[in-house]
Structures are given as C-alpha cells and as structure tokens.
C-alpha cells in the first residue's frame, strides 16, 4: 500500500510507505483526504476523511448574530401566537477546508422545557459565507415562551461554535 494526501495542504504530509501523517505548526484546521492505494493495482484505493483541528474549533468560524423574521421577511421583536418565526444566521468558514456547521433553534416554555426545535446543517466551503435558516411555528398560547438559537459543529458532536441567543431578550 502507498499513502497519499489528495489535497495540496500546507503543513500536512504523509509517509507514502507507512502512512504516518505529519502535521506542522503551519497546518490549518479542516478536513483532508488520506488515500491508501494498492501497490499492485493502482486502480484499487480507499479514501479516508481526516479532520484536523489545528486551533480551537470555535475559531474555525465567524458566526453572525441570528436574525428573527416573519415569513414576509420582516424583522420581528416578539413572538406571535400561531405564527412562524424564521431564524437566519450567517456562518463564515475562516479555515481553508470545507467544514460542516449546524444552526439549531429551540422553543422553550415558561418552565424552560423544549416544546419544539429545528435545525439546518450545511457544509460551509473554505473561506465562504453560508446563511443557515430554521423556521419554527409558535403554538396558540405563547405566554412565557422564548427561543434560543445557536450553532454547533453538528447535532451528533454538539461542539458549540457560538453562544446561545435568546429571543425575545426580556424572557427569563
């Protein structure tokens, strides 16, 4: 077997004979593809996705402040009974590799119990901005209800990329 890194990424190399990956201080965070190729038949290979976190994961992204709107696109300042709230947040990938991010929006009642939630997961391309959108419809009785919006790397890993933003802010 011979080992290769498909992408040309500064600070990352592999010993093609034994597959040991070397990472230097110049490496940046992201995912790269490590490829094992049969030495007897180069058409036979296996790719492995390897994610490198060269710095704190929260530094991989710049997460904008969530914006709360109605379906007409108008900003809202409070929740309205039986009405949907569309939450958007801009995510900037500050790394040089494509990385997933997931916006999560949860609706809480006055007892701080989650009554509804939604999420939007996207791969954000290196150096690009992606807007994630989640829509939640309010129940008829919204007294004491509030929303929390935040961004994780994924629902499965639950590594926070932002702090939670509460809406409306005056709710406890």
């Amino acid at each position: 077997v011979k080992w290769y890194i498909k992408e040309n990424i500064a600070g990352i190399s592999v010993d093609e004979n034994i597959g040991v990956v070397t990472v230097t201080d110049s490496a940046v965070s992201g995912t790269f593809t490590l490829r094992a190729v049969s030495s007897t038949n180069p058409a036979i290979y296996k790719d492995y996705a390897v994610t490198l976190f060269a710095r704190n994961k929260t530094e991989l992204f710049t997460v904008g402040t969530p914006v709360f709107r109605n379906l007409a696109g108008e900003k809202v300042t409070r929740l309205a009974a039986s009405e949907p709230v569309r939450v958007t947040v801009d995510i900037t990938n500050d790394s040089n590799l494509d990385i997933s991010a997931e916006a999560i929006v949860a609706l809480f009642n006055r007892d701080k119990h989650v009554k509804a939630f939604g999420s939007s997961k996207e791969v954000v391309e290196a150096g690009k901005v992606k807007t994630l959108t989640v829509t939640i419809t309010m129940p008829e009785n919204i007294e004491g209800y509030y929303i929390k919006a935040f961004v994780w790397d994924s629902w499965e890993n639950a590594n926070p990329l932002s702090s939670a933003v509460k809406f409306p802010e005056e709710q406890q």
Side-chain angles (χ1 to χ4, degrees), residues 86-135:
R86 180 171 288 149
V87 182
T88 59
V89 61
D90 289 338
I91 311 286
T92 303
N93 181 344
D94 296 322
S95 79
N96 71 342
L97 297 170
D98 302 347
I99 306 174
S100 292
E102 188 159 2
I104 300 168
V105 176
L107 177 66
F108 293 83
N109 67 9
R110 72 172 70 235
D111 298 323
K112 301 181 181 178
H113 295 128
V114 174
K115 302 310 284 181
F117 68 90
S119 69
S120 174
K121 184 176 183 177
E122 296 277 348
V123 173
V124 184
E125 294 178 37
K128 302 286 184 179
V129 178
K130 179 82 78 164
T131 301
L132 302 181
T133 303
V134 180
T135 303

Side-chain angles (χ1 to χ4, degrees), residues 148-159:
K148 282 190 178 179
F150 48 96
V151 178
W152 284 350
D153 63 338
S154 70
W155 191 261
E156 298 78 21
N157 294 331
N159 292 312

Side-chain angles (χ1 to χ4, degrees), residues 25-45:
D25 288 342
S26 64
V28 295
S29 303
T31 301
F32 63 92
T33 306
L34 183 63
R35 178 172 279 185
V37 180
S38 168
S39 52
T40 58
N41 182 353
I44 298 173
Y45 62 89

Side-chain angles (χ1 to χ4, degrees), residues 68 78-79 105-116 136 138-139 141-149 164-172:
F68 301 86
R78 62 179 179 76
L79 301 178
V105 176
L107 177 66
F108 293 83
N109 67 9
R110 72 172 70 235
D111 298 323
K112 301 181 181 178
H113 295 128
V114 174
K115 302 310 284 181
I136 292 186
M138 298 302 108
N141 179 2
I142 58 167
E143 186 176 336
Y145 277 60
Y146 59 94
I147 290 174
K148 282 190 178 179
V165 172
K166 188 184 282 187
F167 177 82
E169 292 179 19
E170 68 272 4
Q171 294 294 336
Q172 296 300 321

